[in-house]
Amino acid sequence: MKRVKKNRISKHGASSLFLAIVLSSLILIECTFVAFVWNLDYAMSVNEALRIQVETILCDYNRQLFNVYGIYAFSIDGVDGECFRKALEINGLESKSELYISGRTRFTCEDLSKAINSYYRYRGIGIGTKNIVDSCGELIASLDENGYLNRIGEFMRSPAAGYVQKILTGSDKASEWIEKAGDILNIDELSDEADGIDSLNEDYKNAVKDFGLNINLDVADYESFLKTISKIEKVQNSLASNSLGRYTRIAVSNYCAYNFDCYFRPDGDSSIIGTSFDEIHSSKHSDVEYFITGNDNVSGVFEVQLLITHLVIAGMILTDYADEKFRNTMEAIAIVISNIILAVSEGSIKIDPSLIAFGLTFFCASIQAIKEVWNVFRGKRAVLFKYEGEKIATFNYRDFLYIFCLYVPVNTLLERSLSVLERDYGDLYTGITLEADYRGQTYSATKSYRLYD
């Protein structure tokens, strides 16, 4: 029997073994390369999905916020990873990464300032409020140039002020005072003038009654009146200078005065682009009054009311002095009061009648202003200055608010308006960072609106 050697190896077997070893190495290398490419492809897909998700979030800005206020901003509420997952599925991949928000950029006052400047870049030509500032500035300048404020101040510091206030606020009648001076002047000649002055008492009482406000407001408070005039003078001087912040001050003030809700809405009132404020919030708010005073309640409304009254008083003073008949009447009554004071004081107090005439004009202007201010509160326009029956300058409620916004620091206006925007629209953001992890590697995408860069 022939014996077979089992350990015999042919050259063909050695070749097969060698090829198997080589191919196994190649297969390992190829599989590693394929895995690397696959991971790289997944990583690229994750990055692309993150980018799409971030852009989707930025595209989902509040449309009303942009249309009314010109602000690009979004809310974090409702942000999910739907677009991220869909983007991976489109590439035939399953989402093996958890998406989370690692950073966000809040909307700030600086961002609001940039948005406002951009807002007026296209709308500034059509705003047309420069004439309001100019009219107000000319009004105050005329009071100074003609010395009205100084003369009224002299009167208010004199003993005559108390007598005149009693006549015009109704505690005494002008006719009664004239009767006291009957031995000095002709009563019949002044009876018509006395009736005219007394009628102002009724106008004042009726106007205050029509307000429906339970307040005791001294509109003839000269010190308070001077403070208002002083504030407006400072605004006028600031705008007249070539300061770099002049445009920003005008834009921000106009934006706050005409684009937010207020307590006394003018007829047909809406935002600058025509959006009703009832569409933004369900109930009326005194937002602009809050911007001006820092008070978002009734006290802020009353404070603005007094400011408006003082400005209207300034206009009434000029209107009255431009009326020759009114001026002559005041001079006649002033002579009567001067003689009465001289008689009552037994000759110890002698007041220049022209000084009393200035005081009379101030008190009369204060009472006349109530009627004009009441028109403003009813949605109408107040006549600030009238000459020979022609209305030279008329303001509505928002026009007054614009003037007063100008003397509030810009940063204060921005802070207060931002708080109102967040009240109506929630927390606002201008940028976001998303991250996703895969096999120990973190992928991220960050983006924000270029408007705020």
Side-chain angles (χ1 to χ4, degrees):
M1 176 182 285
K2 192 173 180 179
R3 202 168 173 175
V4 179
K5 294 182 179 180
K6 295 182 179 179
N7 294 329
R8 186 178 177 183
I9 301 175
S10 68
K11 61 181 180 179
H12 298 290
S15 298
S16 298
L17 184 59
F18 174 75
L19 289 172
I21 295 173
V22 171
L23 289 174
S24 63
S25 300
L26 288 173
I27 292 171
L28 179 62
I29 293 172
E30 288 295 327
C31 288
T32 302
F33 180 73
V34 169
F36 173 77
V37 172
W38 190 89
N39 283 334
L40 181 61
D41 180 63
Y42 187 85
M44 292 176 64
S45 298
V46 169
N47 279 323
E48 181 66 13
L50 284 172
R51 184 188 65 80
I52 293 173
Q53 179 66 67
V54 167
E55 290 184 350
T56 300
I57 293 173
L58 294 181
C59 288
D60 192 27
Y61 59 86
N62 190 298
R63 296 303 191 268
Q64 186 184 70
L65 185 63
F66 173 72
N67 292 333
V68 177
Y69 299 102
I71 294 172
Y72 283 109
F74 61 90
S75 174
I76 293 297
D77 297 338
V79 171
D80 56 32
E82 183 66 20
C83 289
F84 176 75
R85 291 188 293 272
K86 291 292 185 182
L88 291 177
E89 291 175 4
I90 290 173
N91 292 321
L93 303 172
E94 295 182 6
S95 177
K96 299 179 181 180
S97 303
E98 183 178 351
L99 181 69
Y100 57 94
I101 300 172
S102 63
R104 62 196 76 179
T105 306
R106 283 291 295 267
F107 184 72
T108 65
C109 290
E110 183 180 354
D111 296 330
L112 179 57
S113 179
K114 292 177 180 178
I116 292 173
N117 285 331
S118 175
Y119 187 86
Y120 282 103
R121 191 173 302 159
Y122 305 102
R123 297 176 173 89
I125 296 176
I127 290 173
T129 54
K130 185 178 183 296
N131 61 320
I132 294 175
V133 180
D134 291 343
S135 297
C136 186
E138 292 172 4
L139 185 74
I140 304 305
S142 296
L143 288 174
D144 279 339
E145 290 170 4
N146 292 281
Y148 295 150
L149 296 179
N150 289 334
R151 296 290 283 171
I152 292 172
E154 291 179 44
F155 165 80
M156 296 300 292
R157 292 187 292 270
S158 74
Y163 291 97
V164 175
Q165 188 166 15
K166 286 181 179 180
I167 292 174
L168 294 182
T169 55
S171 57
D172 292 323
K173 289 184 175 296
S175 55
E176 295 173 355
W177 284 90
I178 292 174
E179 287 178 4
K180 294 178 183 178
D183 296 336
I184 303 172
L185 295 175
N186 190 329
I187 298 175
D188 295 332
E189 291 180 357
L190 296 175
S191 60
D192 292 339
E193 287 80 354
D195 290 340
I197 296 297
D198 287 335
S199 69
L200 290 175
N201 300 333
E202 297 302 319
D203 291 339
Y204 175 79
K205 294 174 182 176
N206 292 336
V208 173
K209 181 181 178 182
D210 288 340
F211 280 142
L213 302 174
N214 186 21
I215 57 174
N216 182 17
L217 205 59
D218 184 6
V219 295
D221 182 351
Y222 184 68
E223 295 300 325
S224 180
F225 169 73
L226 279 185
K227 288 179 182 179
T228 301
I229 300 302
S230 177
K231 288 178 180 179
I232 296 173
E233 281 184 314
K234 290 179 181 178
V235 169
Q236 190 66 21
N237 292 335
S238 174
L239 295 178
S241 67
N242 293 320
S243 59
L244 294 176
R246 178 176 57 179
Y247 175 79
T248 298
R249 175 187 287 269
I250 292 174
V252 172
S253 299
N254 187 279
Y255 183 86
C256 290
Y258 292 95
N259 227 20
F260 288 87
D261 203 359
C262 61
Y263 193 80
F264 296 105
R265 297 175 181 174
D267 291 344
D269 189 47
S270 64
S271 71
I272 291 175
I273 66 165
T275 301
S276 169
F277 293 105
D278 292 332
E279 296 180 20
I280 299 174
H281 41 241
S282 57
S283 60
K284 183 189 294 185
H285 290 282
S286 54
D287 294 334
V288 188
E289 291 87 349
Y290 161 64
F291 299 159
I292 295 169
T293 67
N295 298 319
D296 58 355
N297 49 32
V298 177
S299 63
V301 176
F302 285 164
E303 187 174 339
V304 169
Q305 172 203 340
L306 188 57
L307 291 172
I308 293 174
T309 303
H310 288 159
L311 192 52
V312 176
I313 288 172
M316 293 295 100
I317 291 173
L318 291 179
T319 298
D320 290 341
Y321 261 96
D323 186 338
E324 184 177 359
K325 181 179 179 181
F326 181 91
R327 193 167 62 247
N328 291 337
T329 301
M330 293 301 103
E331 291 174 356
I333 298 296
I335 293 173
V336 174
I337 295 177
S338 178
N339 282 284
I340 291 172
I341 295 173
L342 185 63
V344 171
S345 65
E346 298 181 349
S348 62
I349 300 176
K350 183 174 178 59
I351 305 296
D352 182 358
S354 67
L355 200 63
I356 295 177
F358 277 95
L360 280 169
T361 302
F362 174 67
F363 279 118
C364 289
S366 300
I367 296 173
Q368 291 168 331
I370 293 292
K371 295 185 293 182
E372 295 297 332
V373 173
W374 179 229
N375 285 335
V376 172
F377 293 165
R378 292 187 300 148
K380 310 300 181 182
R381 302 184 73 87
V383 179
L384 225 66
F385 181 70
K386 184 167 59 174
Y387 183 71
E388 294 184 351
E390 293 293 328
K391 298 177 181 178
I392 307 300
T394 65
F395 286 11
N396 68 15
Y397 189 66
R398 287 201 179 273
D399 296 335
F400 285 109
L401 295 179
Y402 172 52
I403 293 294
F404 302 140
C405 279
L406 285 168
Y407 70 72
V408 180
V410 172
N411 288 339
T412 301
L413 287 177
L414 292 173
E415 290 171 2
R416 291 172 180 173
S417 55
L418 179 56
S419 67
V420 168
L421 289 171
E422 290 179 339
R423 179 202 67 198
D424 289 337
Y425 297 98
D427 293 337
L428 302 174
Y429 298 88
T430 61
I432 192 169
T433 298
L434 296 180
E435 290 187 354
D437 291 331
Y438 178 68
R439 291 186 176 180
Q441 183 70 33
T442 300
Y443 305 94
S444 66
T446 300
K447 200 165 187 178
S448 61
Y449 299 112
R450 293 184 62 185
L451 173 64
Y452 310 112
D453 292 342

